[in-house]
């Protein structure tokens, strides 16, 4: 990461911010606060208790009751309340470029992963991570180790994408729709997809299918384009970092076109997601805050 700060300084700062501002707010989505995704009684054995008059007989454990001289034992079960948070991290080339180091999407991605992960560590819930570009590059099964978390952040800090790596969300989304992903588990899972969504995939139907069983939130990372760019430069030749193609443009006209294109694509996706009640979070360096992120996540798990 091309920033005037080293990893240790950044991590110490984000840790301080999280510890001060999130500890209480995260209680609503951490262990013991979020309900099971499965209705009815839980599946985990808790204890035996004596059956009382008027209590349902369907809960009696007849085998255990045989050991009693009189009376019956009721098997008490507890609902699974542990939470796994999966973050799908876009590692394509467009995420690692920008008009300024502070405004690039990589920094924003790191801040969000750090906030969510650090908060989970406080509450002993688990973080799983998928890294993807046009295919799945890595899968970290859910963990709750601080050492593993710091290593993850440092790897993302130092990561350099392969030249010409385009974005395809479908492989990562298919993972979450599979048996190994979110489709067949009794543990509650929240899936966050962190990307600039600069892709030609029709990814919205896949998100909607996953949402039928587990909360999933597309987190759209934005970098505002500068209003003026090389005002006296005349024509500008640039290279698309994902396709490798070169183009010569007039800067002002080009920025206006890019802004209009991105706005149309966002409006199209937002309309489709809104029609099915699927939430989406738009985040830039200007709009990102710890409180806003946690409040949004709270709302998804009510």
């Amino acid at each position: 990461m091309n920033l005037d700060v080293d990893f240790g300084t950044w991590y110490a700062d984000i840790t301080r911010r999280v510890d001060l501002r999130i500890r209480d707010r995260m209680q609503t989505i951490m262990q013991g606060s979020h309900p099971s995704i499965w209705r009815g009684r839980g599946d985990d054995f808790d204890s035996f208790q004596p059956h009382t008059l008027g209590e349902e007989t369907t809960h009696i454990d007849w085998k255990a009751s045989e050991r009693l001289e009189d009376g019956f034992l009721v098997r008490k079960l507890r609902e699974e309340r542990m939470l796994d948070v999966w973050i799908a991290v876009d590692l394509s080339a467009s995420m690692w470029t920008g008009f300024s180091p502070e405004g690039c999407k990589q920094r924003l991605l790191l801040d969000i992963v750090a906030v969510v992960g650090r908060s989970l560590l406080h509450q002993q819930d688990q973080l799983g991570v998928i890294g993807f570009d046009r295919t799945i590059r890595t899968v970290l099964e859910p963990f709750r180790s601080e050492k593993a978390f710091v290593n993850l952040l440092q790897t993302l800090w130092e990561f350099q994408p392969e030249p010409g790596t385009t974005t395809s969300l479908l492989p990562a989304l298919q993972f979450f729709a599979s048996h190994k992903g979110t489709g067949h588990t009794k543990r509650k899972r929240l899936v966050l997809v962190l990307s600039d969504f600069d892709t030609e995939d029709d990814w919205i139907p896949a998100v909607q299918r996953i949402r039928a069983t587990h909360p999933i939130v597309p987190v759209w990372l934005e970098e505002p384009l500068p209003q003026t760019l090389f005002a006296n430069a005349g024509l500008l030749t640039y290279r698309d970092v994902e396709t490798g193609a070169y183009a010569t443009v007039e800067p002002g006209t080009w920025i206006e076109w890019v802004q209009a294109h991105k706005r149309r694509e966002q409006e199209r996706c937002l309309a489709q997601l809104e029609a099915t009640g699927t939430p989406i979070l738009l985040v830039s360096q200007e709009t990102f805050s710890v409180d806003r992120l946690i409040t949004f996540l709270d709302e998804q798990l009510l």
Side-chain angles (χ1 to χ4, degrees):
M1 175 178 283
N2 299 319
L3 296 175
D4 295 329
V5 61
D6 60 29
F7 174 79
T9 301
W10 170 80
Y11 182 66
D13 176 66
I14 202 72
T15 297
R16 177 184 59 81
R17 290 165 56 196
V18 170
D19 291 351
L20 289 176
R21 300 179 65 185
I22 290 191
R23 187 173 300 165
D24 294 334
R25 296 292 304 279
M26 287 296 288
Q27 295 300 321
T28 57
I29 66 169
M30 293 296 106
Q31 180 178 356
S33 297
H34 36 76
S36 170
I37 59 174
W38 295 78
R39 296 178 183 272
R41 61 181 186 173
D43 292 324
D44 294 339
F45 173 75
D46 186 21
S47 63
F48 287 118
Q49 295 183 14
H51 178 266
T52 58
L53 187 63
E55 189 175 1
E56 289 186 28
T57 59
T58 55
H59 297 163
I60 293 176
D61 189 308
W62 298 103
K63 186 174 182 179
S65 298
E66 290 177 357
R67 298 192 294 267
L68 299 180
E69 294 183 1
D70 56 12
F72 304 97
L73 291 176
V74 175
R75 177 182 287 267
K76 295 295 184 181
L77 303 175
R78 64 175 177 267
E79 191 179 37
E80 175 62 74
R81 290 180 179 274
M82 295 296 291
L83 176 69
D84 287 348
V85 173
W86 279 89
I87 302 181
V89 177
D90 186 346
L91 301 178
S92 62
S94 66
M95 294 289 294
W96 261 248
T97 59
F99 293 99
S100 69
E102 285 294 338
C104 76
K105 289 164 282 190
Q106 179 201 17
R107 173 61 185 270
L108 192 55
L109 180 149
L110 276 160
D111 285 348
I112 293 174
V113 173
V115 168
V116 174
R118 181 70 184 176
S119 303
L120 291 169
L121 290 177
H122 276 302
Q123 299 298 328
Q124 295 299 301
D125 281 314
Q126 298 193 122
L127 173 67
V129 177
I130 285 183
F132 70 94
D133 43 44
R134 58 177 173 265
T135 187
I136 293 178
R137 294 296 179 181
T138 186
V139 176
L140 296 180
E141 295 292 340
F143 64 89
R144 58 168 62 98
S145 162
E146 182 168 8
K147 181 177 180 181
F149 178 60
V150 174
N151 288 340
L152 165 67
L153 290 177
Q154 189 149 21
T155 299
L156 291 174
W157 182 277
E158 298 171 353
F159 179 78
Q160 294 296 324
E162 295 182 11
T165 51
T166 56
T167 303
S168 177
L169 288 97
L170 294 182
L173 294 176
Q174 289 165 358
F175 171 90
F176 291 120
S178 69
H179 180 84
K180 189 173 178 59
T182 62
H184 300 273
T185 178
K186 292 181 180 180
R187 291 175 64 86
K188 189 174 180 77
R189 293 191 175 186
L190 170 65
V191 178
L192 304 178
V193 183
L194 273 59
S195 176
D196 59 4
F197 295 90
D198 187 7
T199 177
E200 296 182 358
D201 290 346
D202 186 11
W203 53 272
I204 293 178
V207 167
Q208 294 168 343
R209 286 193 297 271
I210 294 169
R211 189 170 180 268
T213 53
H214 290 270
I216 180 169
V217 178
V219 182
W220 196 311
L221 307 185
E222 302 178 292
E223 180 189 12
L225 293 172
Q227 295 302 311
T228 58
L229 177 65
F230 307 121
N232 300 319
L235 295 179
L236 174 69
T237 299
Y238 76 96
R239 176 177 178 270
D240 188 303
V241 295
E242 291 199 343
T243 66
Y246 287 87
T248 300
V249 297
E250 193 282 316
T253 303
W254 175 69
I255 289 178
E256 291 179 1
W257 178 86
V258 171
Q259 287 176 328
H261 174 74
K262 288 182 177 293
R263 184 168 56 252
R264 286 194 302 270
E265 181 64 14
Q266 276 193 0
E267 290 174 351
R268 181 186 69 84
C269 293
L270 287 171
Q272 292 185 36
L273 292 170
E274 184 178 357
T276 59
T278 304
I280 186 170
L281 182 62
L282 304 177
V283 187
S284 67
Q285 282 292 345
E286 287 74 15
T287 62
F288 170 76
S289 74
V290 168
D291 287 339
R292 179 178 180 235
L293 174 61
I294 300 309
T295 298
F296 182 83
L297 296 178
D298 288 349
E299 294 170 351
Q300 308 317 309
L301 288 168
L302 289 178

